[in-house]
Amino acid sequence: MSDSEQELGITESKEYSTGDWYAEVVQKAELADYAPMGGFIVTRPRGYQIWERIQNHLDGWFKDTGVQNAYFPLFIPEGHLEREKDIVEGFDPEVAWVTQGGYDELDERLAVRPTSESIIAPYMSQWTRSHRDLPLRLNQWCSVVRWEATETKPFFRTKEFLWQEGHTAHEDSDGAWEETMLRLEQYERVYEDVLAMPVLKGRKPDHDKFPGAHTTTTVEALMPDGKSVQGGTSHYLGTSFGEAFDITYIDENEDEQTAHTTSWGLSWRAMGALIMTHSDDQGLVLPPTLADPQVVIVPIWQDDNVDEILGYAEELESTLDDAGIRVHLDDRDHRNPGFKYNEWELKGVPLRIEVGPNEMDEETATLVHRPDGESETVDATTITETTEDHLDTVFAKLYASAEETLEGEIREAESREEILGTIGQHGGYVKCGWCGEEACEEPVKDAIAAEIVMVPLDRDEEPIHEECAICGEDAEETAYFAKTY
Amino acid sequence: MSDSEQELGITESKEYSTGDWYAEVVQKAELADYAPMGGFIVTRPRGYQIWERIQNHLDGWFKDTGVQNAYFPLFIPEGHLEREKDIVEGFDPEVAWVTQGGYDELDERLAVRPTSESIIAPYMSQWTRSHRDLPLRLNQWCSVVRWEATETKPFFRTKEFLWQEGHTAHEDSDGAWEETMLRLEQYERVYEDVLAMPVLKGRKPDHDKFPGAHTTTTVEALMPDGKSVQGGTSHYLGTSFGEAFDITYIDENEDEQTAHTTSWGLSWRAMGALIMTHSDDQGLVLPPTLADPQVVIVPIWQDDNVDEILGYAEELESTLDDAGIRVHLDDRDHRNPGFKYNEWELKGVPLRIEVGPNEMDEETATLVHRPDGESETVDATTITETTEDHLDTVFAKLYASAEETLEGEIREAESREEILGTIGQHGGYVKCGWCGEEACEEPVKDAIAAEIVMVPLDRDEEPIHEECAICGEDAEETAYFAKTY
């Protein structure tokens, strides 16, 4: 924390100017700054530590389920990208190209990776010979670059972003489909158990799936402005990449087979969604799973009792620290308690412990929750257990609040007018019957820029209505319309 | 491990063709492959996990000593690099330039970061206002690109490499110097306690320090071909960067002061040095601190006792696994024990446990060390403690062997002829008196491409001889000559 940057108040309103409010929270909570060139950001320690914690959770789960990390080159020769074009939409319009190395023009342009399928797949082909080499599960944590000319929005829209990309190969479709679902469930789990955010799991409509994919699955998160964020995607690619890149293996009967592959990715957009969901007009709100510190102790002293109060606060700090709780004692003497409260609220500390003369005399501590300010004075002799309980409660309240919002924002509609009216008035998701034709998405897209963000995972699930809300023909499935990020 | 890549034997000799042998070990132990474009490599899971473990150790120590991770952009606008040129030698000859974004030429070229001083320092300036903001300690783990036209040597010479770069600001020179030394000691510690390699700590001669640095310190590691590798560097930068980038603060007396800064970095070259040092003509040798698995259990069965032997092996595996030892039971039935021994030796597993009918009947297990093949049959009831002891012993033997080599390779000389003769004949380090003039390094450099890799850290240390071995003038310090990577 920089002690000198003292414009503590958030001046924008989450409700009325969500975009400006978001940008202000990100900067004033010291999560990120803008880089000198448009589209890039500098991720400051308070922001990067959130990403590190998200990484640690996911990375542990990946490794527990057979994934191995690797590192592939930052650059991809143009010819390699071309090869992928047969099956994957060209990334050309959004590729940053290296054309010079030192003083020399390069013979072949190098793409700064926009995603790594085309450099990873040839190696998966090389490393896969026998059925014994499968499943092959690779992942890398890296940055990718996509040259999109849009306004910079930290963690949501940046030309360079951090992510993980998983790439796996399997003997058959069952194995690959299980993998696709496993990773989708791990994404759901990181949102629910770490970010304190409920998400909807679903499938992208066929016209919006990853090019070359058989099925694209997604976790969608609802933002406070009523728009949906694609929070992570997991693709079942069938044999299309296996065929294009010759990922084949010899099976137990000595026959050559083509591997079924998957890919899946989650980016720091998850952080953007987290900040957007929980924070408020006082600043950042973080769940205890991601906050550092989780607890700040603010001593309240007078001139004549500084040493005693501070001694008491230090005892509490050391007890909590020993228990593995991330605790910080704010013992600055040039700031008053009110200033400290505001500062730590701005920076998203979930639990404040106030200790003054009363607390010291009675061997208690006053615990105050962020963001709702609920407080309780508790016995200091069991401070560790009590603090852990309160941190759990803070997490549960954040989750419950986001869940309540989400549940209230899923509505139904039976006609185009109703879809437009409902999303126009409330935002959120509108469920309706859908014939499956992209043409029936267009009238909604054209009118209010909402689209079908997902359909149910289960292809056999009955649609909620018998008729397509747009064309009136037989409905094939249930579509979830929403505006998107 | 790929079950299909079965050319197990290393065909090159470490002693007689070190370079080819190294390349073969790296590929056959599945640490890395060559990328399609020269100068780049693909780091495979078996290689990447070594880097992850090195990272985890260092990152933990950094955080324990006040360092915060951050992430700065991959690209640096050309104008920013220019700004640094006043004090830092231009990286121009080795910069990869992005000149196109999508279909458009960029107005200003973007350098793919060769190092990040010039993009980090302006933010350090912004974030440093008061003495209370100091010390400011930032670190990032990332890849950097330097367009050097040399032969690719995985982990030693690649155009893109992984590293960490630390950048700190302090109130005064004492604080910055302590920081410089602390990071150097952490580098020494990672070599000694994790990589099982002794290193020499020293200072670069003034004519070879990082441009703009007041003092460049280094850890040097001796390779088996008698050359020295710069294993990590820690720079005390004085106020030169503080002045160039306006990193100033208001001190306790309300006066403006310029911060003293440091920077320090360690790259995956450490992995190269590790592989080079310990491995042998059977393949990779890894210390137990970095190996995964640390222990491989190879069951030796006949047709009539497969189930019993396998059951016994599984019990051992589960006991060791429960104790947190990274253990793998090689229960493949299409490979014989001899094949398995060779394969795991190639891949650098430090300890093999053989269990056959005798071991089963007597409730024992036979432990075999890599690389020296020392073996002992031990009581299986205390297998965890015994295995841990043996892993410690394997580590200690690797370290002792490297230390013995290093100690025998530091010689003294009193004349240019003696320096040339000694390095020419033995390689290694030659210590001698030195007047401090770069001119006295040149005759050695010109003749045998050896240079002064370091001088003692302590500027007041008496030189070992009174006269400079080259010019005969008064010696100012002791120079360590060696050939380098």
Side-chain angles (χ1 to χ4, degrees):
Chain A
M1 175 197 56
S2 166
D3 198 66
S4 308
E5 294 167 42
Q6 295 305 358
E7 301 158 44
L8 286 188
I10 298 291
T11 58
E12 300 288 347
S13 149
K14 181 173 186 178
E15 187 173 354
Y16 300 108
S17 52
T18 312
D20 292 338
W21 162 85
Y22 175 82
E24 198 183 1
V25 169
V26 165
Q27 281 205 285
K28 289 199 173 163
E30 300 177 355
L31 304 179
D33 264 348
Y34 295 93
M37 57 289 191
F40 292 80
I41 60 169
V42 166
T43 309
R44 300 183 65 172
R46 300 190 73 79
Y48 196 75
Q49 72 92 11
I50 299 175
W51 180 239
E52 280 186 309
R53 285 182 205 282
I54 294 174
Q55 266 190 306
N56 286 343
H57 283 280
L58 272 179
D59 197 65
W61 300 338
F62 291 162
K63 284 178 176 154
D64 286 346
T65 47
V67 178
Q68 299 180 301
N69 284 339
Y71 186 75
F72 289 78
L74 171 62
F75 301 145
I76 304 175
E78 185 165 15
H80 268 63
L81 277 190
E82 299 291 336
R83 184 169 170 195
E84 197 189 8
K85 270 197 186 148
D86 303 342
I87 45 165
V88 177
E89 189 181 65
F91 271 97
D92 258 20
E94 47 185 55
V95 164
W97 294 103
V98 174
T99 62
Q100 295 164 12
Y103 300 124
D104 301 323
E105 288 294 312
L106 301 184
D107 292 336
E108 182 181 17
R109 295 193 300 177
L110 299 174
V112 181
R113 61 176 164 234
T115 179
S116 302
E117 274 81 2
S118 58
I119 188 104
I120 293 182
Y123 290 91
M124 293 178 71
S125 164
Q126 222 173 285
W127 302 335
T128 302
R129 293 278 171 267
S130 148
H131 62 96
R132 293 193 183 88
D133 299 325
L134 298 177
L136 173 63
R137 297 187 181 97
L138 300 170
N139 178 63
Q140 74 178 1
W141 294 94
C142 63
S143 85
V144 291
V145 172
R146 297 182 188 172
W147 210 263
E148 294 170 287
T150 49
E151 205 191 340
T152 310
K153 188 175 182 110
F155 309 122
F156 277 110
R157 279 195 307 272
T158 48
K159 289 195 172 85
E160 179 189 14
F161 59 89
L162 299 182
W163 80 343
Q164 60 68 218
E165 48 179 320
H167 302 270
T168 71
H170 307 262
E171 286 188 57
D172 54 30
S173 65
D174 282 356
W177 179 251
E178 274 167 33
E179 178 79 14
T180 309
M181 285 297 100
L182 174 61
R183 301 313 158 195
L184 190 71
E185 279 151 22
Q186 290 177 333
Y187 292 157
E188 178 186 39
R189 181 174 164 203
V190 85
Y191 276 96
E192 298 198 340
D193 294 358
V194 180
L195 280 67
M197 292 169 62
V199 288
L200 298 178
K201 272 189 310 192
R203 187 163 47 83
K204 287 288 167 189
D206 281 346
H207 64 266
D208 193 30
K209 64 191 186 186
F210 184 64
H214 176 278
T215 304
T216 287
T217 66
T218 178
V219 288
E220 297 282 327
L222 181 69
M223 294 298 98
D225 56 1
K227 294 182 184 171
S228 184
V229 166
Q230 183 178 299
T233 50
S234 182
H235 312 288
Y236 167 53
L237 302 169
T239 55
S240 60
F241 279 76
E243 280 156 18
F245 289 96
D246 202 25
I247 308 175
T248 58
Y249 67 95
I250 304 300
D251 70 12
E252 298 198 7
N253 305 319
E254 301 289 322
D255 294 323
E256 186 176 279
Q257 305 284 355
T258 301
H260 291 245
T261 68
T262 81
S263 70
W264 26 278
L266 181 139
S267 80
W268 71 12
R269 173 178 279 204
M271 276 172 68
L274 167 88
I275 299 160
M276 186 74 95
T277 297
H278 299 304
S279 303
D280 62 19
D281 289 353
Q282 275 64 57
L284 184 66
V285 174
L286 287 177
T289 41
L290 295 171
D292 187 13
Q294 299 169 303
V295 176
V296 63
I297 303 175
V298 178
I300 301 157
W301 56 54
Q302 306 290 338
D303 284 346
D304 61 353
N305 63 8
V306 175
D307 290 346
E308 296 91 317
I309 298 273
L310 201 52
Y312 182 65
E314 281 166 353
E315 267 176 54
L316 288 177
E317 182 199 20
S318 119
T319 304
L320 294 175
D321 185 56
D322 288 349
I325 293 168
R326 297 188 289 273
V327 58
H328 174 71
L329 169 60
D330 187 350
D331 58 2
R332 289 175 294 172
D333 57 11
H334 68 297
R335 296 296 180 198
N336 64 42
F339 183 96
K340 294 176 182 178
Y341 297 174
N342 289 336
E343 178 163 354
W344 295 113
E345 283 180 7
L346 170 68
K347 288 180 174 152
V349 177
L351 195 66
R352 178 172 77 232
I353 299 185
E354 302 171 1
V355 286
N358 289 341
E359 280 84 357
M360 185 175 64
D361 292 345
E362 293 161 13
E363 282 199 63
T364 60
T366 298
L367 275 50
V368 185
H369 297 185
R370 173 102 173 95
D372 66 6
E374 188 181 331
S375 74
E376 190 184 357
T377 299
V378 304
D379 185 353
T381 55
T382 53
I383 193 68
T384 300
E385 298 72 15
T386 311
T387 299
E388 282 166 353
D389 286 348
H390 278 256
L391 289 172
D392 288 347
T393 303
V394 167
F395 184 96
K397 286 196 285 188
L398 288 179
Y399 187 87
S401 159
E403 192 176 36
E404 196 188 322
T405 305
L406 175 61
E407 280 168 2
E409 298 286 337
I410 306 176
R411 300 181 180 84
E412 294 186 16
E414 295 195 66
S415 69
R416 174 174 171 268
E417 289 63 39
E418 211 184 337
I419 299 171
L420 300 184
T422 306
I423 294 182
Q425 196 185 341
H426 304 288
Y429 299 100
V430 168
K431 294 200 285 192
C432 63
W434 177 46
C435 64
E437 294 298 323
E438 185 176 3
C440 279
E441 184 189 45
E442 277 160 23
V444 178
K445 217 169 180 172
D446 293 347
I448 57 167
E451 60 191 72
I452 301 174
V453 296
M454 58 174 245
V455 296
L457 271 181
D458 179 1
R459 286 178 191 267
D460 297 329
E461 190 178 305
E462 286 293 313
I464 52 160
H465 303 131
E466 285 179 14
E467 291 169 6
C468 173
I470 289 93
C471 70
E473 300 287 317
D474 284 355
E476 292 291 325
E477 48 197 350
T478 303
Y480 286 70
F481 276 93
K483 295 189 180 185
T484 63
Y485 266 77
Chain B
M1 173 199 59
S2 168
D3 198 67
S4 309
E5 295 167 42
Q6 296 304 0
E7 300 158 44
L8 287 187
I10 299 290
T11 57
E12 301 287 347
S13 148
K14 180 173 186 177
E15 187 173 355
Y16 300 109
S17 52
T18 311
D20 293 337
W21 162 85
Y22 175 81
E24 198 182 1
V25 169
V26 165
Q27 281 205 284
K28 289 200 173 161
E30 299 176 357
L31 304 179
D33 264 348
Y34 295 94
M37 57 289 190
F40 291 81
I41 60 169
V42 166
T43 309
R44 300 184 65 171
R46 300 190 73 79
Y48 195 75
Q49 73 90 14
I50 299 174
W51 181 239
E52 279 186 309
R53 285 181 206 284
I54 294 174
Q55 265 191 308
N56 285 342
H57 282 282
L58 271 181
D59 197 64
W61 300 337
F62 290 162
K63 284 177 176 153
D64 286 347
T65 48
V67 178
Q68 300 179 300
N69 285 338
Y71 186 75
F72 288 78
L74 171 62
F75 301 145
I76 304 175
E78 185 164 17
H80 268 63
L81 277 191
E82 299 292 335
R83 183 168 171 196
E84 197 189 10
K85 269 194 184 149
D86 303 344
I87 45 166
V88 177
E89 190 180 65
F91 271 98
D92 259 19
E94 48 184 54
V95 165
W97 294 103
V98 173
T99 62
Q100 294 163 14
Y103 299 125
D104 302 324
E105 288 294 313
L106 302 183
D107 292 336
E108 181 180 18
R109 295 194 299 178
L110 299 173
V112 182
R113 62 177 162 234
T115 179
S116 302
E117 274 81 3
S118 58
I119 187 103
I120 293 182
Y123 290 90
M124 294 178 73
S125 164
Q126 224 174 283
W127 301 335
T128 302
R129 292 280 170 266
S130 147
H131 62 95
R132 294 193 181 90
D133 298 326
L134 298 176
L136 173 63
R137 298 187 179 97
L138 300 170
N139 178 62
Q140 75 178 358
W141 294 94
C142 62
S143 85
V144 290
V145 172
R146 296 183 188 171
W147 209 264
E148 294 171 288
T150 49
E151 205 192 340
T152 311
K153 191 178 182 104
F155 310 121
F156 277 110
R157 276 195 308 270
T158 48
K159 288 194 173 83
E160 180 188 14
F161 58 89
L162 299 181
W163 79 343
Q164 60 70 219
E165 48 180 320
H167 302 271
T168 71
H170 307 261
E171 287 187 57
D172 53 29
S173 65
D174 282 357
W177 180 251
E178 274 168 32
E179 178 79 16
T180 308
M181 285 296 99
L182 173 61
R183 302 311 158 194
L184 190 71
E185 279 151 22
Q186 290 177 334
Y187 292 157
E188 179 186 40
R189 181 174 163 203
V190 84
Y191 276 96
E192 298 197 340
D193 293 357
V194 180
L195 280 67
M197 294 170 60
V199 288
L200 299 177
K201 272 189 308 191
R203 188 162 47 83
K204 288 288 167 188
D206 281 345
H207 63 266
D208 192 30
K209 66 190 184 187
F210 184 63
H214 177 278
T215 305
T216 288
T217 67
T218 178
V219 288
E220 298 282 326
L222 182 69
M223 295 297 98
D225 56 2
K227 293 182 185 172
S228 185
V229 165
Q230 183 178 298
T233 49
S234 183
H235 311 289
Y236 167 52
L237 302 170
T239 54
S240 60
F241 279 76
E243 281 157 17
F245 289 95
D246 202 25
I247 308 174
T248 58
Y249 67 94
I250 303 300
D251 70 13
E252 298 197 8
N253 305 317
E254 301 290 321
D255 294 325
E256 185 175 281
Q257 303 286 354
T258 301
H260 292 246
T261 68
T262 81
S263 71
W264 26 278
L266 180 138
S267 80
W268 71 13
R269 173 178 278 203
M271 275 172 67
L274 167 88
I275 300 160
M276 186 75 96
T277 298
H278 299 303
S279 303
D280 62 18
D281 289 352
Q282 276 64 55
L284 183 66
V285 173
L286 287 177
T289 40
L290 295 171
D292 186 13
Q294 297 169 304
V295 177
V296 63
I297 302 176
V298 178
I300 302 157
W301 56 54
Q302 306 289 338
D303 283 346
D304 60 354
N305 62 8
V306 175
D307 291 344
E308 295 91 316
I309 298 274
L310 200 52
Y312 183 66
E314 281 166 354
E315 267 176 54
L316 288 177
E317 182 198 20
S318 119
T319 304
L320 294 175
D321 185 56
D322 288 347
I325 292 167
R326 297 187 290 272
V327 59
H328 173 72
L329 168 60
D330 188 349
D331 58 3
R332 289 176 294 173
D333 57 9
H334 69 297
R335 296 295 179 198
N336 63 41
F339 183 96
K340 293 177 182 179
Y341 296 174
N342 288 337
E343 178 162 354
W344 295 113
E345 283 179 9
L346 170 67
K347 289 182 173 148
V349 177
L351 194 66
R352 179 173 77 231
I353 299 187
E354 303 172 0
V355 285
N358 288 343
E359 281 85 359
M360 187 176 62
D361 292 345
E362 293 161 14
E363 282 198 63
T364 60
T366 299
L367 276 48
V368 185
H369 297 184
R370 172 101 175 96
D372 66 5
E374 188 180 330
S375 75
E376 189 185 354
T377 298
V378 304
D379 184 352
T381 55
T382 53
I383 193 68
T384 299
E385 299 73 15
T386 312
T387 299
E388 282 166 352
D389 286 349
H390 278 256
L391 289 172
D392 289 347
T393 303
V394 167
F395 185 96
K397 285 196 287 189
L398 288 179
Y399 187 88
S401 158
E403 191 176 35
E404 195 187 324
T405 305
L406 174 61
E407 279 168 2
E409 297 289 334
I410 305 175
R411 301 179 180 85
E412 293 185 18
E414 295 194 67
S415 69
R416 174 173 170 268
E417 289 64 39
E418 209 182 339
I419 298 171
L420 299 185
T422 305
I423 294 182
Q425 194 184 343
H426 304 289
Y429 300 100
V430 168
K431 295 199 284 192
C432 64
W434 177 46
C435 65
E437 295 297 322
E438 185 176 1
C440 280
E441 184 189 47
E442 277 160 25
V444 178
K445 217 167 179 173
D446 293 346
I448 57 166
E451 59 192 73
I452 301 174
V453 295
M454 58 174 245
V455 296
L457 272 180
D458 179 0
R459 286 177 191 267
D460 297 330
E461 190 179 304
E462 287 292 313
I464 51 161
H465 303 131
E466 285 179 15
E467 290 169 6
C468 173
I470 290 93
C471 70
E473 300 288 316
D474 283 355
E476 292 292 324
E477 47 196 352
T478 304
Y480 286 70
F481 276 93
K483 294 188 181 185
T484 64
Y485 266 76

